[in-house]
Amino acid sequence: MELLEYLNGAVTPYHAVELGADRLLAAGFTEQKLEEPFATERGKGYFIRVYGTGLVAYTVGEEFSSEDALHLAVAHTDAPCLRVKPVAELLSGEYKRLDIEVYGGAILNTWFDRPLSLAGRVVLRGENAYAPRLKTIDFKRPLLTVPNLAIHMNREVNKGVEYKPQRDLLPLLGMLKDGESKESYVRTLLAKELAVDEEEILDYDLTVYCAEQTCYLGEEEEFVSGPRLDNQLSCYALLQAICESKHTTGIHMAVMYDHEEIGSRSKQGADSALTGAIIERIYAGLGVERERMQAALAKSIMLSVDGAHALHPNRQDMYDPVNRATINKGIALKINSSQRYAFDTETVAIAQVLCEEAGVAYQKVANHADLAGGSTLGPILSSWIPMRAIDLGVPLLAMHSARELAGRKDVDGLLRFLAKFFT
């Protein structure tokens, strides 16, 4: 699967998982289900869909033994966005709008005046209460926009404005037509798109997303510009690497979690018992006792693969003078003494040598001492599964904007680094 094809298709976590599952099936992986016993064999690859928005994939070496280490790499499927509320219809005069809430730490002013669309999951009535039908939906066309207030009515706008999501970020869908119900125009829209009766719709989980396509940009097309690069670039790289994983020993595993942008506290998030439970089931399916599994994990290694802050050309004062990453100069090894990123000096050294062996440039990154910075999956997961871990990723500009910017050389470097890790 080509990079832009994946990025333009992974508009929500549901779509990222579906694209990932298709890629894994094409590579010969077998699907397993959480609600069924695992039948795991040496020399094969498997994947598990986790509640629609998470994905686990792993391969077992043909010569696997209980002493072998686990190579684990993780990323997340979600991104800051606008999420539609359960009752979505919100009329203003004749203007049809959607009632939304902000998901994650979005840069709000980047959502104005863009063509936006709608995607997610719709739940329909099934044969019984415990088996509803699940439908993934993507309108795949400009459907919405959030219009700015004209400067004539807010002449201080360029001095900075505090936006109120409940007032300022409600997307415009269209104009109310004669005879159209003002209480159900969203359900009517969904029913038409899915070709079902309105009465069949029980619920929905819908995301407003930037409808502009991801593209290559720059004088020599050296950049990748698009929505959700944090963290779909990493998800794409993990999928490519695990599908091409070549090893005769050990277990190689890639996990894509949901809800990282809001703290990871969910059944398909990293701050849960999910990963440990799946690892235990895999080892048990291979006939490995729990004590031996825990010994193997103690010598295993995990990569938390997420975007890093790239040096901004106009605001270099916001970065450490020397520990900083420039786009297209290599993947970032993320270091933070407060453990907001997972690392220790041993894992940093391991990552350096893997980069050297793969011919991949790398940069060591630490935050400006006066800024707290963000956190990611690494510290959360390594608190649940005590194994060596390091945070790394592609440097990004405009992180959490409706559109972000990365370097093509860095993406290529990440692909080659992960290929080395999974070999």
Side-chain angles (χ1 to χ4, degrees), residues 45 85 100 166 168 173 239 264 336 342 349 355-356 359 365 367 407:
K85 289 183 179 177
I100 60 90
Q166 192 64 64
D168 300 316
L173 173 65
L239 285 167
S264 296
N336 181 272
C355 283
E356 291 168 3
V365 180
N367 291 326

Side-chain angles (χ1 to χ4, degrees), residues 73 108 158 195 311 386 401 411 422:
L108 299 183
N158 291 323
L311 179 66
S401 170
V411 176
F422 281 141

Side-chain angles (χ1 to χ4, degrees), residues 320-378:
D320 185 88
V322 288
N323 297 282
R324 54 195 194 177
T326 302
I327 282 183
N328 281 326
K329 294 298 182 181
I331 62 174
L333 309 183
K334 299 158 66 174
I335 298 166
N336 181 272
S337 59
S338 299
Q339 288 292 313
R340 297 177 75 88
Y341 306 132
F343 85 100
D344 60 44
T345 191
E346 181 185 4
T347 53
V348 172
I350 291 169
Q352 287 179 235
V353 175
L354 288 175
C355 283
E356 291 168 3
E357 291 180 354
V360 173
Y362 64 87
Q363 309 170 79
K364 294 183 182 179
V365 180
N367 291 326
H368 191 292
D370 298 334
L371 299 174
S375 188
T376 186
L377 300 168

Side-chain angles (χ1 to χ4, degrees), residues 62 117 125 212 218 223 246 296 302 391:
E62 290 182 2
S117 195
R125 292 185 184 278
E212 298 164 318
F223 303 119
K246 295 179 177 65
M302 174 177 63
D391 264 287

